[in-house]
Structures are given as structure tokens and as C-alpha cells.
Amino acid sequence: MKPWKFQLSLLFIFCLSSSLTQVFAQQYTYPEGYTAFLDYDDQEQRVSGDFDLDGRSDLAIVCQSEEDMLIAVYLSSKWNANKTYYTIPCDYEMNYLSFENSVLSIASNSCAGRCSMELKFKYYQDLQNMKLIGYDEGHLPDYNQEGAYDLSINLNTGIYEVGNVRKKVSLDLITLANIDLYLYSLSEVGSNEH
């Protein structure tokens, strides 16, 4: 192939890829009254991937309104059927979203970086939704070097760990559809152990 044909082919592929990215970005609409949150580098906090295993890209993105912030999760199978999406309340400006090994991870920092939380979701065909499979929370010590702890809950086994304590807890099924009802109670698991 002649060099100019190769370069022209690369340019075509780049333009096509860019066009597809723009189409994808416009595929979903933000919740009413919200726009994409931009971080300190003027970048959106978002991740895309095939969360619901239907062969189409899905999206998780941090959004803001004048009053609050939330994370909107769009599963293409739900969105394309009836424009359904899910929201997770978010009080943090430092969020890290990733999708690896079929797990959507939403991690946040607050308290000037001294507090952290991570939610881990995985899609289950029988639920037709993403189930919360892991919850992690961490707190560094305060100025008096007190109050530090790490909490980890495996929602598939019901086992939680706080420091050296490992116990079982009974929790309801938590999915994207009801996560907002459980965020406070998850943070209270094992609170008497720290």
C-alpha cells in the first residue's frame, strides 16, 4: 500500500472513531436539571463499558445540579427499552470510576482525603440489574490520631471486616435500583467494632 493511502486510511479510521464517540456521548441524556461534573482538570468523571453484557456500551458518569451531585448509571438494555437509568447520591468531588473484570467500581474521597468509600457492582442476568457485591470504607485518624478504621463488606458472602474483627451480617439484596436506601446502613455495619 502506498504511504499516502495508508495515511488516508488512518485518517478515515480516526474520524470514524471520533464520530462514534460523539454519537455515544449523545446517546444518553443527563437527569433533568443536571450536567456533567468537571473535575479540577476540567475532565468528566465517567467510565463506559458493557456493564450489562448486551454487547453495547453503558455509561456511569458524575453529574451535578445547583444543589447536589449524583452518579448516573445507564445500562443500554434498560435505556433503550424505556429510558430507565439509575442514580446514586454523591457528596464527593473526588470520584474514581472504573470497569474491570465485569465489575463497576465507584470510589470517592472526602474529608480532605481522609475518608474514602467504594461501591462495587456486577451485573447478574437473573436480576436484570447490577448487584452491589462489595462495599469498602476507610477513615484515617483525626488530628488526635484517633478514629481510624477500615470497613470491608462482601455482599455475596455477608462477611464484613473491621480491623481484626470478622463477622457475618444479614443484608438485603442491594442493586442499582435501591442503593440509595442502603448507603447509610452500610456505613453503620460494624460501627460498634471501631
Side-chain angles (χ1 to χ4, degrees):
M1 182 182 282
K2 294 186 178 187
W4 68 271
K5 286 184 179 179
F6 179 73
Q7 290 174 343
L8 187 60
S9 297
L10 282 178
L11 180 61
F12 175 76
I13 292 170
F14 175 77
C15 290
L16 180 62
S17 169
S18 178
S19 295
L20 290 175
T21 301
Q22 289 175 355
V23 168
F24 173 72
Q26 295 170 359
Q27 177 181 357
Y28 301 110
T29 57
Y30 298 117
E32 189 173 337
Y34 287 84
T35 60
F37 172 76
L38 300 179
D39 64 16
Y40 298 113
D41 296 323
D42 285 333
Q43 299 296 312
E44 293 179 351
Q45 296 176 353
R46 65 184 292 159
V47 66
S48 60
D50 188 7
F51 306 160
D52 59 2
L53 310 174
D54 68 350
R56 294 175 294 203
S57 285
D58 307 302
L59 175 68
I61 185 167
V62 180
C63 299
Q64 68 178 0
S65 71
E66 290 184 16
E67 291 84 32
D68 62 355
M69 293 173 61
L70 56 78
I71 298 168
V73 180
Y74 301 87
L75 302 179
S76 60
S77 57
K78 301 285 188 188
W79 179 259
N80 291 332
N82 56 17
K83 302 298 185 223
T84 297
Y85 60 91
Y86 303 97
T87 60
I88 302 169
C90 175
D91 296 332
Y92 311 110
E93 291 188 2
M94 299 299 294
N95 299 286
Y96 309 95
L97 287 69
S98 65
F99 182 66
E100 295 176 16
N101 301 320
S102 300
V103 175
L104 172 62
S105 175
I106 300 170
S108 303
N109 285 320
S110 64
C111 314
R114 293 184 7 253
C115 307
S116 64
M117 179 196 60
E118 183 174 13
L119 304 170
K120 297 174 191 165
F121 292 93
K122 186 171 184 177
Y123 189 79
Y124 286 84
Q125 192 68 38
D126 60 328
L127 300 173
Q128 296 291 296
N129 206 326
M130 296 190 87
K131 173 185 166 187
L132 185 68
I133 61 169
Y135 175 87
D136 295 300
E137 185 179 304
H139 293 267
L140 295 176
D142 62 16
Y143 298 110
N144 297 321
Q145 299 303 309
E146 297 173 350
Y149 70 90
D150 289 315
L151 166 65
S152 182
I153 307 171
N154 180 326
L155 282 93
N156 283 334
T157 64
I159 302 292
Y160 75 89
E161 295 182 44
V162 178
N164 296 327
V165 176
R166 181 181 165 103
K167 292 185 178 178
K168 190 158 178 91
V169 64
S170 178
L171 296 168
D172 294 337
L173 174 66
I174 304 173
T175 67
L176 287 172
N178 65 1
I179 182 66
D180 58 325
L181 303 174
Y182 291 94
L183 286 175
Y184 177 76
S185 58
L186 286 167
S187 69
E188 291 297 303
V189 170
S191 59
N192 55 339
E193 268 88 44
H194 55 80

